[in-house]
Amino acid sequence: MTQAISRPTLTMAEKIDSIDALCARARIMPVITIAREEDILPMADALDAGGLQVLEITLRSPHGLTAIRRLREERPHLCVGAGTVLDRHMLDAVEEAGAQFIVSPGSTDDLLRAALESPVPMLPGVASASEIMVGYALGYRRFKLFPAEVCGGTAALKALGGPFGDIRFCPTGGVGPANLQRYMALPNVMCVGGSWMLDSSNGWDAVRQASADALALLD
């Protein structure tokens, strides 16, 4: 079994800086659910070839932790994070697997406080101003807006920019090529997350091309 990587605990300011850096590198963060273990490396390689090197591996399948471990060991140049982290136990598991960042679909007080003690930066999920304020009181300043389009999309982000001027978001859920540029044009959006580029039914080169096409929209 892969041993947990020993890392010093970071301050919240350092964690915010780390999130900012990985989002700047990502611009588009693929949200990946691994259906088969044999897909782990081909999927990552196709995304990498298309220019996407910051990967969120969700725990929506039983292969999530395995994928994080293998990618950290076999593709060390990629930045590999864990998504769909729902509680303290999942947080401990992904930290042990070597996740470099953590993403949750929503926020609970227990998860937010557990992540404060973790050496790995977390991007907590929020869907309302009230949820932002709960995280804000604990020091969080970077959030995942989910599900972004259902929550009001770019109009909601513009509105939230008023009372929360120092908050930045990674909107996920309903983001795709048709609205990608509108999201990324907002000053409080760091990067976006999505899965539209992950369809491998036409082969791994289609994933590579979809990734490259998405990034080209931002150039």
Side-chain angles (χ1 to χ4, degrees):
M1 177 182 293
T2 302
Q3 299 216 347
I5 298 172
S6 177
R7 287 162 289 188
T9 299
L10 304 178
T11 66
M12 181 57 81
E14 290 171 328
K15 289 180 179 180
I16 291 170
D17 287 344
S18 178
I19 291 288
D20 286 348
L22 73 88
C23 285
R25 178 182 175 187
R27 296 199 291 169
I28 301 171
M29 190 183 300
V31 181
I32 307 163
T33 300
I34 298 293
R36 305 179 306 167
E37 188 170 345
E38 56 264 36
D39 291 344
I40 294 171
L41 295 182
M43 177 68 79
D45 289 343
L47 293 166
D48 183 13
L52 301 180
Q53 296 187 330
V54 180
L55 313 182
E56 177 188 335
I57 307 295
T58 75
L59 300 190
R60 299 178 190 177
S61 87
H63 306 297
L65 290 174
T66 299
I68 293 168
R69 291 190 189 97
R70 288 195 62 188
L71 292 173
R72 292 288 286 123
E73 292 172 354
E74 300 180 48
R75 300 294 186 270
H77 68 286
L78 299 177
C79 183
V80 181
T84 324
V85 174
L86 306 179
D87 57 32
R88 184 182 291 264
H89 302 294
M90 285 183 170
L91 188 148
D92 290 341
V94 299
E95 182 181 325
E96 181 180 357
Q100 293 165 283
F101 62 94
I102 296 166
V103 185
S104 66
S107 301
T108 65
D109 184 70
D110 186 60
L111 180 59
L112 291 172
R113 291 184 183 277
L116 290 178
E117 303 164 6
S118 171
V120 185
M122 186 173 80
L123 198 60
V126 294
S128 69
S130 295
E131 290 172 308
I132 294 170
M133 290 176 67
V134 171
Y136 195 97
L138 293 174
Y140 290 92
R141 298 294 184 270
R142 303 293 184 261
F143 296 92
K144 167 182 174 175
L145 182 69
F146 178 80
E149 281 290 282
V150 174
C151 293
T154 55
L157 286 161
K158 289 176 183 177
L160 291 169
F164 302 111
D166 58 343
I167 298 296
R168 300 291 180 269
F169 298 92
C170 172
T172 303
V175 180
N179 56 18
L180 171 63
Q181 292 169 313
R182 293 199 299 274
Y183 275 100
M184 287 297 290
L186 298 177
N188 59 348
V189 170
M190 307 177 291
C191 67
V192 300
S195 57
W196 75 88
M197 74 295 290
L198 300 175
D199 182 4
S200 61
S201 59
N202 292 319
W204 296 116
D205 192 60
V207 175
R208 180 202 61 77
Q209 188 62 56
S211 301
D213 289 346
L215 284 173
L217 292 173
L218 303 180
D219 292 334

